[in-house]
Amino acid sequence: METRTQRNREIDDVRPRQELAEPQQFGELPWREPATLLHHHPPRPRQHATEAADPDRQEADKQRPEAGDNWHIAHPRSILHRMKPNKPGVTGASTSPALRERSPRKARRMRVPDASPSLSSSPSPTPSAKRHRWGLAQQLIPGALLGLLLAAAPAVACEVQPRAVVPLELVSRHAIVTVEVNNQPASFILDTGAERTMVTVTAVQRLRLDLDQWTGTTVMGIGGLVRHQNALPRSLTLGGLALRHPTVLQDSTLAVGPLPISNFDGLRIDGLLGRDFLSAFDLALDIPARRLTLYDVRDCQGAFLPWTTPYRAIRAFPADRKALVIPTQLDGHWLRTLIDTGAGTSILTAAGIARLGLSPASLAADPAAMARGVGDRPVPVRLHRFGTLNIGGASTLDPALLVAPVHVVPIVDLVLGDDWVQSHRVWLSYSTLQVFVSP
C-alpha cells in the first residue's frame, strides 16, 4: 500500500499564487526519514488516536505556525500557502515535506509553513473571522458614507420669513387684535399667557358658532375653573393666515368661557387669542409701534433677528404647554418667569411668594386691592415694592409688583404683564425657545 510519505514525494515545489499541477507533473521534494511509528503522542482534543500516532501529522503539527504567522487561503483547488515578500535571490517560498490531504472527496487544504517564522507578520484572519469582519464592515460603511455626505453637504441657511403684519390696538393697557371668525371681524385680547384660545358666550351667539356636542374644555384662570362645550368655527384667520391647531385633525376649535371685562372703553371683547394658535409662529411684539409681526423661522440658532437695534437673547426653560418660561432675578432670587400679554400688570404668584419667603406680615403694610381674571372669584392682591428686577442682564430699580396667592399653569413664579411689555420690543421665538428683548 502506498504510504502518505510516498504520495507527498510527488508534490513539486509550489510558489506563491501557483495552482497545483496534475499528479503526473509533480517533481520530487527533498525528504527525510519518517519518525518511528512506535513513538506515540497523546491525542489532541477532537483527534482520533490513530491520527495522533501518524508521524507525518506530528511533524506537520510541529511546523504549524504560531499566532504570529500569516496564512492565506487560496482557491479550494489550490493550497493554503504563506504570503510574504521574497528575499533577494529567492523566487518562491520554501516548502515542507509535511504536506497532507484531508479526503479525496474534499478540496485539498495543505499547509506550507514558512522557513523563517521570525519574519512573519500578524496572522491573516480565518474564513469565519473574514465573514465577521465583512459583516462589521457592512454595518460601519453606511455610517461612514453618511458622515462623509453630511460633512460635504452645505450648511442649511437660517430662514426668517415674515408671514403677516397685524395692527395692534392698545385699550386699557391691553393689546387687542382683530381675528376673522366665520368671515366676521372679532376683537380678541392678545394673550401669550393663555394656553387655549377662548371666546365668550355672547360671541358664540353673535358669530353663530356651532357647539361641539362631544367635547368641552376646562379653563383655569386666577378666578377659578370654567368648563363649557367647545365652539366650532368654520374659519378662523389672523392677518389673512388661517389659524389651525398643530394636531392631526388640524382643527380650529375654541374654548368657551366668561371674561372679567367684556367691554374696554366701549370696545366689545369677544375672546382671548392664546398660545395654541400663536405658538405656530415667532411673534415680534412692538406695542409702542402698535404692530405684531408673525414670522416663519427655520433652521436658526442664536441671534438671528432682522432688527438693526441692539437686543438681548434669553434662553427659555424647556416647558410644557408651549410656554416660553425664562429665568429672571428679583432681589437676588432666581424666578421662573412667563411673559403674559393678557395680564394688565405683572404679578408675583404663590410659587414666587414661597421662593422669596414673603409672609403676610411682610405684606401687611402694602396697598391692597381686588383683581379679577378668568373665573368667578375675585383675588385679593398687594402692591409690593422690591429692590431690583433683572431680566436678561438689564436691571430695573424699585419695581412695584402685584403679589397674589394665585396658581398659574405652567407653574411660574412671576408673570410679566403689559406694564412691562409696553416699554420694550419683544420677540417670542417658539421655534428656537428663546426670548429677545430690546432695549
Side-chain angles (χ1 to χ4, degrees):
M1 180 181 295
E2 185 181 15
T3 64
R4 186 184 302 275
T5 304
Q6 292 175 344
R7 290 199 304 269
N8 290 343
R9 296 178 185 174
E10 300 178 356
I11 301 179
D12 196 0
D13 184 18
V14 181
R15 289 172 171 77
R17 303 183 182 274
Q18 181 178 350
E19 300 289 342
L20 285 177
E22 295 296 330
Q24 61 269 20
Q25 298 177 353
F26 289 167
E28 184 172 311
L29 289 175
W31 65 287
R32 57 179 177 270
E33 294 295 331
T36 306
L37 295 178
L38 297 179
H39 183 71
H40 293 278
H41 294 276
R44 298 187 307 272
R46 305 175 66 178
Q47 180 188 27
H48 195 271
T50 57
E51 294 181 350
D54 191 340
D56 290 339
R57 289 184 178 273
Q58 297 172 7
E59 187 66 23
D61 292 342
K62 291 180 182 179
Q63 300 185 16
R64 184 173 298 165
E66 300 297 333
D69 289 335
N70 188 13
W71 294 85
H72 173 71
I73 299 178
H75 191 272
R77 296 294 299 174
S78 65
I79 67 169
L80 181 74
H81 59 276
R82 170 67 178 267
M83 302 295 297
K84 72 181 187 69
N86 292 331
K87 298 181 180 179
V90 180
T91 59
S94 62
T95 60
S96 169
L99 301 176
R100 56 184 178 142
E101 182 178 355
R102 288 288 184 186
S103 171
R105 294 184 180 183
K106 297 182 180 180
R108 296 179 179 179
R109 297 172 60 90
M110 293 174 286
R111 300 185 177 182
V112 183
D114 187 20
S116 302
S118 60
L119 299 179
S120 63
S121 59
S122 60
S124 178
T126 62
S128 61
K130 287 186 177 181
R131 290 192 296 269
H132 172 72
R133 293 183 181 179
W134 172 243
L136 184 61
Q138 288 179 318
Q139 298 177 8
L140 296 180
I141 288 176
L145 293 178
L146 179 60
L148 292 175
L149 292 176
L150 293 177
V156 179
C158 171
E159 296 183 8
V160 181
Q161 180 181 3
R163 295 293 307 278
V165 178
V166 181
L168 292 177
E169 187 175 358
L170 194 61
V171 180
S172 298
R173 294 184 302 180
H174 288 85
I176 309 298
V177 295
T178 299
V179 179
E180 297 284 336
V181 183
N182 290 349
N183 298 321
Q184 301 182 61
S187 298
F188 280 65
I189 297 176
L190 183 68
D191 195 349
T192 59
E195 178 187 356
R196 289 294 306 269
T197 298
M198 186 179 70
V199 294
T200 64
V201 176
T202 304
V204 170
Q205 299 172 356
R206 184 179 68 86
L207 300 172
R208 297 182 180 180
L209 299 178
D210 295 330
L211 293 178
D212 193 332
Q213 301 299 321
W214 300 97
T215 307
T217 301
T218 300
V219 179
M220 186 180 73
I222 64 173
L225 300 176
V226 176
R227 180 171 179 80
H228 200 282
Q229 291 173 291
N230 290 343
L232 301 174
R234 294 184 299 275
S235 64
L236 190 70
T237 61
L238 174 65
L241 299 177
L243 300 179
R244 299 183 184 278
H245 291 125
T247 60
V248 177
L249 297 178
Q250 295 286 304
D251 63 300
S252 302
T253 58
L254 303 172
V256 179
L259 293 178
I261 301 177
S262 60
N263 191 295
F264 288 155
D265 297 337
L267 178 64
R268 180 184 57 248
I269 303 300
D270 297 307
L272 305 173
L273 182 59
R275 294 192 306 268
D276 53 345
F277 294 121
L278 294 175
S279 61
F281 310 95
D282 272 25
L283 308 179
L285 289 168
D286 194 349
I287 293 183
R290 306 294 194 270
R291 181 175 61 243
L292 167 67
T293 307
L294 308 180
Y295 285 90
D296 271 346
V297 176
R298 298 179 182 177
D299 303 315
C300 295
Q301 296 179 356
F304 59 88
L305 304 193
W307 291 352
T308 57
T309 57
Y311 58 87
R312 307 182 302 275
I314 307 172
R315 172 66 63 178
F317 295 119
D320 59 352
R321 305 176 189 273
K322 302 176 183 178
L324 295 178
V325 180
I326 61 174
T328 60
Q329 200 171 26
L330 181 62
D331 289 351
H333 297 271
W334 287 104
L335 304 180
R336 298 161 294 182
T337 303
L338 176 67
I339 298 178
D340 184 357
T341 57
T345 56
S346 300
I347 301 175
L348 186 71
T349 66
I353 294 173
R355 189 175 293 270
L356 269 70
L358 299 178
S359 63
S362 63
L363 302 173
D366 295 330
M370 299 299 290
R372 298 187 64 91
V374 175
D376 300 328
R377 300 190 309 269
V379 178
V381 298
R382 296 278 185 172
L383 183 63
H384 188 78
R385 191 167 295 276
F386 295 88
T388 305
L389 175 62
N390 188 290
I391 302 175
S395 298
T396 302
L397 300 178
D398 300 327
L401 303 175
L402 289 180
V403 179
V406 296
H407 299 274
V408 179
V409 179
I411 299 175
V412 295
D413 308 309
L414 178 64
V415 173
L416 290 178
D418 280 337
D419 57 341
W420 179 84
V421 176
Q422 291 175 15
S423 59
H424 298 83
R425 193 179 182 189
V426 181
W427 183 302
L428 302 179
S429 180
Y430 292 98
S431 63
T432 63
L433 298 180
Q434 296 183 95
V435 174
F436 304 95
V437 181
S438 175

